[in-house]
Amino acid sequence: MPSPCFQGNECGGTGFHVKVPGMDNDQEPIRVRFAPSPTGHLHVGGARTALYNWLLARKSGGIFILRIEDTDISRSTEDNIRQIMESMLWLGLDWDEGPDREGKHGPYRQMQRLEIYRRAADELLGSDKAYRCFCSKEEIAAEREEARRASRAYVYSGRCANLKPEESAACEADGRGFVIRLRAPSGGTTVVNDLIRGEVSFDNALIGDIILVRASGIPTYNFAVAVDDSQMGITHVIRGDDHLPNTPKQLMVLEAMVKPAPAYAHLPLILGPDRTPLSKRHGASSVEEFRVRGYIPEALCNYLALLGWSYDAETTIFTTGELVEKFSLGRVGATAAVFDNDKLLWMNGYHIRNLEPEKLSLRLEEYIATTRLSGLPGTGGRPGIEELIPLAQEKMKTLADFVELTDFFFLPPTYEDKALAKLRKDELAPEILIRAAGILSGIEPYDAETIEEALRRAADEMDIRLGKLLQPVRIAVSGKLVTPGMFETLAVLGKEKGIDRINAAIKMARND
RNA sequence: GGCGCAUUCGUCUAGUGGCCCAGGACGCCGGCCUCUCACGCCGGUAGCAGGGGUUCGAAUCCCCUAUGCGCUACCA
């Protein structure tokens, strides 16, 4: 359903149309891109944008492109580029074309595409759709100030729009720097046909002759994006809401270059609890931080997908495969969403519980290497990760929880103050511990089932509840108030270690 | 200031004129299960920003107001 894009005086009659590939009987594959600016790590907002692009590409058998927008040379770094790619791969968002996967539309870093922008600018200059502007920054600032005083929107005056060739040449000979501006329509409206918001129109008179190329020769964002999207054959531009007001500018550039426009979908922002755009101020906000805190990509993708998109009224849990199958732009909402750590945490626990144990074991192995348990599991007679997964999996909400839940299997227990206090307050504790140590020493085979049987019998004989008996034992062997199931814990810990710790705790229980 | 976007339980959302005195999920509260903590199960709390229209009928359509956010850069 093509719709007129410009209805202005200058171009209303030209019948420029927006092409919406993939939305009708068009057979061309969808080509989408994620275009981060490497001025920081991959943020959850950016991750969601990348995810939606990736989902659409994978769902339709299209192409997902990673393009680095590094024209802000003062803030872009190589390290950030590497980090962003690492985070994307960790999430499972792989790209078909990108800085390390050159395709016929490359290169994929804007600073390596300067020649392409130069050619595009020259063409526009040649066809008089753009012109050189020699106004100094001071002159522009004065215009802006004047507009402000008159309480008018600032629009470039167009002072250099009609410079004669000899005037232009004279200025250049004078050594005055210049920018290249688009000769933009001064009247009419530009309408953006957004897949999420519908038609949004902008008054051309309020936009003016935007700068295409800076005095430094580096293109501005709006120019580079329009050139790249066009040259890379992008069919759908899916990006943050903050770009909506930029879209008419890009449409104007495309129009001047006589290129078709892609379809646009502007995603609402992700907010912090205070309803301002999510940022570092709100705590964890980069994908990397979530990885370090023990979140798994399945959960982060699921959560991010649901932040702005829904499948139906009921379903909240999706595997990444299901997301690929079910995602659609049509069901993306238009309202900004507050990032809810509680829900993400719950979802992370859910996905951890649903991981196959072997898979969880692999994840933990990698994760533990970065913690104080590094190198310990499975060495020196200590249990391996796979032995502990049955005890810990259903209790973990993050991979980090595994460390807290199982450290006493690998290291001598450190007695928590609260646990110690509890042990000392329990008058029966010494007796229970002495008895437990005795019972345990006679158990054969030393497995969870046999231990359970014996300890249950003991509780019966002492006429106390099982919990009453187990709690001192728990504290004795772990130093904690919370552990995996006691019978399994004792079995995996081993007879000798268990009894030693219980004996040691008897003294503590007596307040010695 | 100008322009633009948005507004359903605390949070994420379902809802496209009657199926809604609004459904699901997280959180919270209560209960069950239970060796602790989780998990699981059962139940509960809580919302259509406000005001005008249109209509037999509005969360759904229109207008206004309010609030929030974005853009208004030789940042992206």
Side-chain angles (χ1 to χ4, degrees), chain A residues 396-410:
Chain A
M396 300 163 56
K397 286 200 165 127
T398 65
L399 299 183
D401 288 346
F402 182 86
V403 175
E404 294 313 309
L405 231 30
T406 67
D407 57 355
F408 66 90
F409 285 98
F410 308 108

Side-chain angles (χ1 to χ4, degrees), chain A residues 26 71 98 101 143 175 182 280 293 324 339 341 392 438 447 475-476 484 489:
Chain A
D26 199 304
T71 54
R101 298 180 78 91
E143 281 189 4
L182 179 71
K280 320 94 228 154
R293 292 185 184 200
V324 168
F339 193 89
N341 272 302
D447 59 28
I475 295 167
T489 295

Side-chain angles (χ1 to χ4, degrees), chain A residues 74-93:
Chain A
S74 63
R75 295 194 299 150
S76 298
T77 71
E78 283 307 306
D79 198 56
N80 285 333
I81 294 176
R82 207 202 70 244
Q83 266 286 358
I84 288 170
M85 300 205 304
E86 236 172 56
S87 289
M88 286 178 68
L89 258 15
W90 177 76
L91 280 170
L93 309 181

Side-chain angles (χ1 to χ4, degrees), chain A residues 116-175:
Chain A
I116 293 170
Y117 309 126
R118 195 164 300 136
R119 268 206 306 277
D122 281 348
E123 245 171 75
L124 256 17
L125 246 18
S127 57
D128 199 37
K129 287 187 174 152
Y131 60 88
R132 296 195 295 181
C133 167
F134 293 89
C135 292
S136 68
K137 285 192 178 170
E138 291 69 33
E139 288 170 303
I140 297 298
E143 281 189 4
R144 189 172 286 125
E145 175 59 17
E146 194 187 319
R148 197 189 60 78
R149 250 198 275 279
S151 165
R152 258 185 7 239
Y154 165 71
V155 177
Y156 174 61
S157 64
R159 187 186 340 208
C160 295
N162 298 307
L163 247 37
K164 296 194 171 57
E166 50 279 19
E167 292 174 310
S168 187
C171 283
E172 195 179 4
D174 244 19

Side-chain angles (χ1 to χ4, degrees), chain A residues 91-401:
Chain A
L91 280 170
L93 309 181
D94 55 336
W95 49 94
D96 306 296
E97 297 173 26
D100 57 342
R101 298 180 78 91
E102 290 298 332
K104 55 178 182 260
H105 302 276
Y108 296 92
R109 289 172 61 153
Q110 290 188 324
M111 285 307 283
Q112 294 171 354
R113 298 171 62 80
L114 263 21
E115 189 49 42
I116 293 170
Y117 309 126
R118 195 164 300 136
R119 268 206 306 277
D122 281 348
E123 245 171 75
L124 256 17
L125 246 18
S127 57
D128 199 37
K129 287 187 174 152
Y131 60 88
R132 296 195 295 181
C133 167
F134 293 89
C135 292
S136 68
K137 285 192 178 170
E138 291 69 33
E139 288 170 303
I140 297 298
E143 281 189 4
R144 189 172 286 125
E145 175 59 17
E146 194 187 319
R148 197 189 60 78
R149 250 198 275 279
S151 165
R152 258 185 7 239
Y154 165 71
V155 177
Y156 174 61
S157 64
R159 187 186 340 208
C160 295
N162 298 307
L163 247 37
K164 296 194 171 57
E166 50 279 19
E167 292 174 310
S168 187
C171 283
E172 195 179 4
D174 244 19
R176 296 181 63 174
F178 63 88
V179 298
I180 298 175
R181 286 184 184 272
L182 179 71
R183 206 179 287 286
S186 58
T189 55
T190 296
V191 357
V192 176
N193 203 319
D194 190 90
L195 259 23
I196 293 170
R197 285 151 222 280
E199 291 191 353
V200 183
S201 46
F202 296 86
D203 187 348
N204 291 339
L206 265 22
I207 294 176
D209 292 351
I210 56 169
I211 294 175
L212 265 22
V213 181
R214 299 181 250 243
S216 64
I218 295 174
T220 57
Y221 168 74
N222 285 119
F223 184 52
V225 164
V227 169
D228 289 344
D229 285 342
S230 163
Q231 190 263 350
M232 292 181 178
I234 301 301
T235 60
H236 295 67
V237 171
I238 304 169
R239 79 225 306 190
D241 209 343
D242 45 341
H243 291 295
L244 186 54
N246 284 322
T247 311
K249 300 175 187 174
Q250 291 163 28
L251 251 13
M252 285 174 174
V253 173
L254 257 7
E255 160 74 353
M257 298 191 301
V258 201
K259 300 288 188 195
Y264 291 96
H266 287 94
L267 269 23
L269 260 37
I270 296 180
L271 275 23
D274 59 357
R275 305 207 73 99
T276 61
L278 193 67
S279 72
K280 320 94 228 154
R281 293 184 292 107
H282 297 103
S285 62
S286 77
V287 171
E288 170 64 9
E289 281 174 89
F290 283 104
R291 189 183 65 77
V292 168
R293 292 185 184 200
Y295 286 81
I296 63 174
E298 287 88 341
L300 208 48
C301 282
N302 189 166
Y303 181 71
L304 253 19
L306 245 33
L307 215 51
W309 171 84
S310 66
Y311 175 64
D312 58 19
E314 316 289 308
T315 324
T316 55
I317 295 294
F318 297 87
T319 63
T320 303
E322 286 166 341
L323 288 175
V324 168
E325 180 191 328
K326 294 176 169 151
F327 182 79
S328 71
L329 280 178
R331 291 196 60 88
V332 174
T335 57
V338 173
F339 193 89
D340 182 358
N341 272 302
D342 284 339
K343 191 163 186 174
L344 204 213
L345 185 62
W346 165 79
M347 202 173 267
N348 201 57
Y350 188 95
H351 281 282
I352 284 178
R353 287 193 293 280
N354 281 275
L355 230 40
E356 292 120 47
E358 304 74 42
K359 218 167 179 173
L360 178 58
S361 181
L362 255 32
R363 303 286 177 90
L364 281 170
E365 202 173 315
E366 203 174 326
Y367 186 78
I368 282 172
T370 67
T371 71
R372 60 195 164 89
L373 260 33
S374 177
L376 295 177
T379 63
R382 285 176 282 253
I385 291 169
E386 61 289 345
E387 269 182 274
L388 290 170
I389 284 177
L391 318 206
Q393 184 165 13
E394 61 173 13
K395 295 184 189 306
M396 300 163 56
K397 286 200 165 127
T398 65
L399 299 183
D401 288 346

